[in-house]
Amino acid sequence: MSELSLERGLNALRAEIDAPVAAFFSSCVHCGLCAEACLFYVETGDPKYTPITKLEPLRRVWEAEFTLFGRLKGLFGLNKKVTDEMLAEWEPLLYDSCSMCARCSMVCPVGNDIQYMIRKTREGMVAAGHAPEGLITAAARAVRTGSPMGLKWKTLQVQIDHVEASSGLQVPVDAEGADYLVMLSSMEIINFPEYLEAITKIFDHAGVSWTLSTDCYEATNAGIQIGNKDIAATLVQRIVDAAVKLKVKNVISPECGHAYTAVRWEGPNLIGKSYPFRVFHIIEVLEELRASGRIKTEGKEMDRLSLHDPCNLARKSGVIQQQRNLMDLVADNFVDLKEHGRYQWCCGAGGGVSSNERAAELKMTAFKRKKAQIEEVAPERMVTMCATCRTQLEEGLEDFNMDIPVVGLTEMIAEHLVEKNGDRKQ
Amino acid sequence: MATQKTLGESLREHGVTRRGFLKFCAATASMMALPPTMTSAIAAALDKARRPSVIWLSFQECTGCTESLTRSHSPTVENLILDIISLDYHHTLQAASGDAAEEARLAAMKENWGSYLVVVDGSLPGPGSNMGYSTIAGHSNLDILKETVEGAAAVVAVGTCAAFGGLPRAYPNPTGAVAVQDIITNKPIINVSGCPPIPTVITGVLAQYLTFGTLPEMDDYKRPLAFFGQSIHDRCYRRPFYDKGLFAETFDDEGAKAGWCLYRLGCKGPSTYNACATMRWNAGTSWPVESGHPCLGCSEPDFWDAGGFYQALSVPTANATHTLAVAGVAGAVVGGVAAAVAKKQQRHAVADREPVTIEQLEQRL
């Protein structure tokens, strides 16, 4: 087994250069619009955070080895080489200052998917041994214990016991043939256990058959975040194995943005085959239940609420109207942030930034964009549906002394469900 | 005198906001592939620029180029800039006629000697042909052009007719039509080709001239590289289908309905350089390929004679010069070899790739 090395890193970058990457690099018109779309650049004003700059290692390999001009330059020794020092210098640019929110990809006037290339460049960084410590340990724990935070099933079992005691409902575990297999993220198990209670109540209310799996209950994909397809595929395969074993029809991704895009969009490509089940975000499932009249609610939130769209859900997956329909169900005084939905600004914590301790300060600087957005509409509470976004919103608002609580949309729906007994009386 | 006002003053009089103006400048910087920091330089220069005198000559043409410019959907900043440049002479647009019109041209030339721009649309009957095919006020196009260009700072040939001869020059070329650049050799020429050209490209060229006082960087056909630097094919949203080998075979087959590549239906995108795919037409609504029709190659020389519009040809060869055809083929071969080598390299890299393990990762901690 060889060690991670610059040579392996360069080879990984070469392997990642496909037709789209070649087209993107040759298409870049250096207009700089991606800079203005990136919260890390906008909030620091430091030009090194311009998204396209972050791709310099990949671009150099492409130019030197994949273009005629670069090859000619090479003959005269004019190419700038990618060195180990360069990769070390770029590591913070690729990991600390990019949440892979894809806002740069969206605004690029020539349609370059910069975020896609960041993901690819990280493959080279990992193979060259230049990944942040926080992400390495998270990936190692995810592969070894099944959770990037190292949680074992018994921790989840404790939460399940709590939920069952407080709701009086049973949380189905390893129920073969259920319609939905529910995946969680460690963040939801530790920080937001109310999520599990909420779906237990909602699914009981709507008569949905669902289950958790003791084989695989965590779907955060540390492989996607660190940028390694081997680790990412291992983690996706676990979900597939668990779902196949329990013969479920659908899998619900955790309320975690990158977990959702990893299992829904990238997973089949990673493992090289299609799923025998479908994948949804809980918001999509709830919206379908709402539309078919299976969720009955009473009462509405009267305070001024606003919504943070997770980038992976809204911008990358087009789930935008669904959460607003659900908001309408339970909120009377809802106001959208000025840039929302597809144009949402990232919270600053995604793409592995939150697992990377070195990035903690930069992450809070980037949060100023969200803070400014929130100040513009001055809501009394913020609502969201991604555990990472929610943690970042809570920490950020506290950091800036803003007294605005953050709630999960799923939990809010659960609070307004018509009680079963009340239902019968009517 | 109309030319005393600066562009900035005139724009403000027309109610263009500072923000709208800056947006236009930013878009211009982006179109010209300049760094965003140039936006303020462009804004400052345009704001102070005196309205340039423009003399617009129309020769053997269909007025489509003028139509393209004037039929914009809403009053955008670029329209306003064109509205308020000192358009001192324009056959189609001016109210004056006869001697009064010709005198306006001569007066504008005299007052702005050495600094006015001549915009030409349409080709002209060249030397040796019958000058009676196209005359204005009894003067031949050739004489008018030579006379007018004498005191000009530069000549902008708008449209494929003026730039390359266009339709009037198509085989068998009964009027002996030639392009502006075949006649004028002592003045800078910018060819803004297209049948018609994209309005924003025309204003972009004017904005650059006003900003920097220089002509844009140009390709071998004297077309501004900022707009004609890349092929339609490279920018086409149907390109992924080409890369995958998915082609529409007829205009109503499943492939056409699914939006596949139109290459086999005669699309000249691979050999055509223009900005349609990125700027689009009708206020950004659409462009030929998006509405289901292959690119005709309208911004290229001799596009009328470059084989049938619906024949699949990647390089127009029928009427192209020998050198051009050879260069095209040689370019394709060199590019092909480079692509093949790169492809091989990539295959090796994929084959050599070793899976990264957790243990290897942890050694780095």
Side-chain angles (χ1 to χ4, degrees), chain A residues 139-294:
Chain A
R141 280 194 296 258
V143 171
R144 294 215 180 92
T145 67
S147 145
M149 287 165 97
L151 297 180
K152 303 242 167 63
W153 173 263
K154 65 182 178 197
T155 315
L156 178 54
Q157 185 61 53
V158 172
Q159 300 293 6
I160 292 172
D161 293 343
H162 279 306
V163 169
E164 290 186 338
S166 84
S167 68
L169 299 168
Q170 203 206 337
V171 174
V173 174
D174 290 334
E176 216 171 277
D179 283 346
Y180 293 94
L181 170 62
V182 171
M183 288 287 147
L184 299 167
S185 71
S186 297
M187 208 93 88
E188 285 152 14
I189 301 171
I190 294 294
N191 294 357
F192 310 117
E194 58 268 36
Y195 170 72
L196 183 60
E197 180 162 353
I199 52 171
T200 307
K201 284 180 179 166
I202 296 171
F203 285 169
D204 173 71
H205 168 95
V208 170
S209 92
W210 68 290
T211 184
L212 293 172
S213 160
T214 47
D215 289 343
C216 181
Y217 44 89
E218 226 293 358
T220 320
N221 202 313
I224 293 289
Q225 295 179 334
I226 197 168
N228 179 260
K229 56 177 83 167
D230 309 307
I231 298 170
T234 306
L235 298 175
V236 168
Q237 190 62 50
R238 273 188 198 155
I239 302 171
V240 175
D241 291 345
V244 168
K245 187 174 163 194
L246 291 177
K247 302 185 185 74
V248 295
K249 296 188 192 76
N250 306 288
V251 168
I252 298 179
S253 145
E255 287 204 340
C256 163
H258 288 276
Y260 173 65
T261 44
V263 64
R264 178 146 191 187
W265 307 122
E266 299 186 50
N269 289 326
L270 286 167
I271 62 171
K273 55 179 188 283
S274 56
Y275 300 151
F277 51 84
R278 297 186 65 194
V279 178
F280 297 100
H281 191 271
I282 184 71
I283 293 301
E284 294 172 286
V285 177
L286 293 182
E287 166 61 8
E288 208 173 299
L289 294 175
R290 183 204 66 82
S292 56
R294 290 169 72 184

Side-chain angles (χ1 to χ4, degrees), chain A residues 2 4 27 65 144 230, chain B residues 235 341 345 356 360 362 364:
Chain A
S2 67
L4 303 179
S27 306
E65 301 180 21
R144 294 215 180 92
D230 309 307
Chain B
R235 280 279 168 266
V341 173
Q345 182 121 356
V356 170
Q360 289 170 344
E362 284 179 330
R364 285 287 176 151

Side-chain angles (χ1 to χ4, degrees), chain A residues 1-4 8 11 14-15 17 26-27 29 31 65-66 68 71 110 123 133 140 144 228-230, chain B residues 30 33 36 230 235 334 341-342 345-346 349 352-365:
Chain A
M1 184 178 65
S2 67
E3 282 186 24
L4 303 179
R8 278 188 70 177
N11 194 58
R14 260 172 231 135
I17 295 175
S26 46
S27 306
V29 294
C31 68
E65 301 180 21
F66 292 80
L68 186 60
R71 282 166 174 274
V110 294
E123 289 278 343
E133 188 187 337
R144 294 215 180 92
N228 179 260
K229 56 177 83 167
D230 309 307
Chain B
S30 160
Q230 271 156 335
R235 280 279 168 266
V334 173
V341 173
Q345 182 121 356
Q346 207 255 355
D352 292 347
R353 189 180 178 280
E354 289 174 67
V356 170
T357 65
I358 286 299
E359 288 73 23
Q360 289 170 344
L361 266 181
E362 284 179 330
Q363 283 173 7
R364 285 287 176 151
L365 289 183

